[in-house]
Amino acid sequence: MKVKRRTVWLLTLLSLAAVISVYYVFEPNRNVDLATIFTDDTLQETTLTGVSEEELTTTSSESYLFDEMRMEVSAERDQLRTQLTDKIAADDITAEEKSEAYNEMNKLIKLESSESMLEMLIQSLGYSDAFVRINDDKAKVTVLSDEISTSQVNEIVFTVLSENEDISDVQVDYTANYY
């Protein structure tokens, strides 16, 4: 009898938590001051405070070259991710090899998030777009700009090195290719 009461109590609490979570997620007029990446659909449905309409239009990439480079890197990494997933799911692989593949998958996820974060930070320095590619301890940064000064390069290098302590070499390039 006591177990049934505890089960009912637990289910009631979980149901209450689920209802509150759903209400919080779908509440239309909440003002949350969090840095969030929105898709075009959710951006139209969301009320942003402190952001002008002009700033919203500059969030998309102005350079098809950068989009193309991102797609190439994404295709390479998707292929690697598929290989690692197949390796993890294989029956004829030892537990040690599966663990190694799992660790590589985690490194890949960390690398992708680190590159994305650096791109956003560099864009916050005033560039309309940035592309970051990290290989081992080296980072190659390409920014969309007509020209770039030595102080701007130093600022980008400082940003990259301060955000990722595993990087020891940063190469900064720029391109004025807006098509």
Side-chain angles (χ1 to χ4, degrees):
M1 194 74 157
K2 207 174 203 181
V3 175
K4 285 186 179 181
R5 286 184 184 170
R6 285 184 183 170
T7 305
V8 170
W9 178 247
L10 178 64
L11 290 174
T12 304
L13 284 176
L14 289 175
S15 299
L16 182 61
V19 168
I20 291 171
S21 298
V22 168
Y23 176 76
Y24 178 75
V25 169
F26 292 105
E27 182 183 5
N29 291 326
R30 70 173 194 272
N31 291 326
V32 179
D33 193 26
L34 299 173
T36 307
I37 300 173
F38 295 100
T39 63
D40 289 338
D41 295 336
T42 58
L43 186 60
Q44 292 172 355
E45 297 171 5
T46 305
T47 305
L48 295 176
T49 58
V51 179
S52 69
E53 192 66 33
E54 181 179 302
E55 290 173 324
L56 290 176
T57 59
T58 60
T59 58
S60 63
S61 177
E62 293 184 18
S63 172
Y64 293 112
L65 174 66
F66 283 19
D67 288 340
E68 190 175 306
M69 292 187 324
R70 284 186 185 103
M71 287 185 348
E72 288 175 11
V73 170
S74 178
E76 289 173 15
R77 291 188 177 155
D78 285 344
Q79 184 178 12
L80 178 60
R81 189 177 289 109
T82 301
Q83 291 172 352
L84 291 172
T85 303
D86 291 345
K87 194 173 189 179
I88 291 170
D91 292 335
D92 59 339
I93 303 295
T94 65
E96 186 176 300
E97 291 173 325
K98 287 183 180 187
S99 176
E100 185 179 309
Y102 181 75
N103 290 339
E104 285 184 48
M105 183 85 81
N106 285 336
K107 285 180 188 177
L108 183 62
I109 292 168
K110 183 180 175 186
L111 175 70
E112 289 174 334
S113 67
S114 180
E115 287 176 347
S116 296
M117 177 61 83
L118 286 171
E119 287 176 358
M120 288 190 308
L121 287 171
I122 292 168
Q123 288 175 3
S124 73
L125 296 175
Y127 300 97
S128 59
D129 203 357
F131 177 74
V132 177
R133 179 80 191 257
I134 299 174
N135 287 322
D136 298 324
D137 64 340
K138 298 177 183 171
K140 182 175 180 184
V141 179
T142 307
V143 294
L144 191 61
S145 179
D146 292 328
E147 58 184 339
I148 189 167
S149 68
T150 306
S151 64
Q152 290 172 316
V153 170
N154 289 337
E155 186 177 32
I156 292 170
V157 169
F158 177 77
T159 301
V160 171
L161 293 177
S162 65
E163 286 299 316
N164 194 330
E165 56 197 38
D166 297 333
I167 296 175
S168 62
D169 183 26
V170 180
Q171 178 184 355
V172 179
D173 292 327
Y174 71 94
T175 182
N177 184 358
Y178 287 91
Y179 58 88

